[in-house]
Amino acid sequence: MAKRASVRIVRSVAAAVCVAAAAVSGPPPPPPAATAPQTQPDCTTGTGPYQRELETHLRLPVDGRQSPADCAAIRAFQQANSLQPSDGYAGLATYRTMLVVEARPNPNAAGKCPVRSYVVACVDLDRQLLWVQKGNKVGYGPVPIRSGRDGAETRTGWHSVYWRDRDHYSDLYDNAPMPYSQFFDGGQAFHGTTSDLFLGGSHGCVNLRYADAERLWNVLQLDDAVYVWGVKPGTYRSRPAPVTPALPPAGDPPPPPAVRTPPPNPDAG
């Protein structure tokens, strides 16, 4: 009898413990309520100057007139490419970014930059793009640039990198910073800028975004070839077109410059 009583006591204690544990833990909490998806405000910007180009790129109906669907698609493109403001307006910065995106698979599809066995920095003034290739392999870019303004155009033809200065400052334009300068023709250089790359033009240099100029510094070396062609949009097209020198033989790089002293600095930004 005592043994049976002990068993009943043990079972009672265990049941009490289970009841107490259940009371402490309680029923499982309900699942969190579903969060309503965040919606963006209506896209209401008007027709931009590059409306047709963006409509074509985004495979929208091409009519040159902004619609709510156009605005939303352009805004999504801007957001995907970290453009600010991302408001759906087909402006210059969005158009220039579109050119970079279109060129990425093969910036030299038109074959305008000579293909050589050595490194060539290709500067396309028509599209305001720069990339670096060796043979048919692109090792840098394409990235957007800002070339010389009307009357101070970036000189076309063959050049080569003949002087470099990581922390350069302009002698002519109020000691303006020219970070990661790589000079290739009589004072014209690749260099970084923190100003809006899509506005205006330089004094002849090829401006890049700061991060792009830093990466280019680590790609190019002294004597590397530079080839420039085309015309910057918005420059005075009625003046005689610059004469592009004949290409050197395919196996030979362009000759190095005769002078290797630090050049004058005609560009500020």
Side-chain angles (χ1 to χ4, degrees):
M1 293 292 294
K3 184 175 181 181
R4 290 180 180 177
S6 299
V7 170
R8 285 197 297 271
I9 292 172
V10 170
R11 289 177 177 173
S12 298
V13 171
V17 170
C18 290
V19 170
V24 172
S25 62
T35 303
Q38 295 184 350
T39 58
Q40 299 191 75
D42 290 340
C43 201
T44 58
T45 55
T47 301
Y50 298 95
Q51 188 74 33
R52 287 183 177 276
E53 290 84 352
L54 267 297
E55 288 170 348
T56 301
H57 175 77
L58 296 172
R59 302 182 186 279
L60 300 166
V62 180
D63 58 10
R65 296 190 301 272
Q66 181 83 303
S67 69
D70 292 344
C71 189
I74 295 171
R75 180 170 62 183
F77 173 84
Q78 292 167 332
Q79 292 171 340
N81 290 278
S82 302
L83 287 172
Q84 293 296 333
S86 295
D87 57 2
Y89 183 72
L92 178 61
T94 304
Y95 169 69
R96 292 282 310 282
T97 302
M98 183 203 80
L99 293 180
V100 174
V101 171
E102 289 184 342
R104 279 174 185 159
N106 182 9
N108 201 32
K112 293 186 177 181
C113 190
V115 175
R116 297 291 186 265
S117 61
Y118 47 85
V119 169
V120 179
C122 305
V123 183
D124 182 346
L125 301 182
D126 295 325
R127 294 183 292 172
Q128 293 287 283
L129 297 177
L130 179 147
W131 66 91
V132 179
Q133 64 187 34
K134 184 176 182 180
N136 288 310
K137 183 178 181 180
V138 175
Y140 169 93
V143 297
I145 62 167
R146 177 175 57 200
S147 64
R149 66 188 64 167
D150 189 36
E153 292 86 349
T154 303
R155 290 182 282 274
T156 57
W158 278 106
H159 315 285
S160 63
V161 177
Y162 67 94
W163 193 64
R164 307 197 324 150
D165 187 358
R166 187 192 300 267
D167 299 309
H168 195 68
Y169 290 84
S170 173
D171 294 336
L172 299 180
Y173 296 99
D174 300 322
N175 211 35
M178 299 168 60
Y180 299 103
S181 286
Q182 302 190 74
F183 288 84
F184 58 83
D185 183 73
Q188 295 188 348
F190 303 120
H191 71 80
T193 180
T194 56
S195 64
D196 188 344
L197 195 70
F198 303 121
L199 291 179
S202 74
H203 293 91
C205 285
V206 174
N207 300 161
L208 301 95
R209 294 174 297 200
Y210 188 93
D212 291 338
E214 182 179 10
R215 289 196 300 120
L216 185 65
W217 175 272
N218 295 319
V219 170
L220 295 181
Q221 300 178 10
L222 286 174
D223 295 332
D224 277 345
V226 177
Y227 188 73
V228 183
W229 73 94
V231 178
K232 182 183 187 300
T235 53
Y236 187 45
R237 292 176 177 269
S238 64
R239 66 164 54 100
V243 177
T244 301
L247 303 184
D252 299 327
V259 179
R260 286 200 177 281
T261 56
N265 309 320
D267 194 356

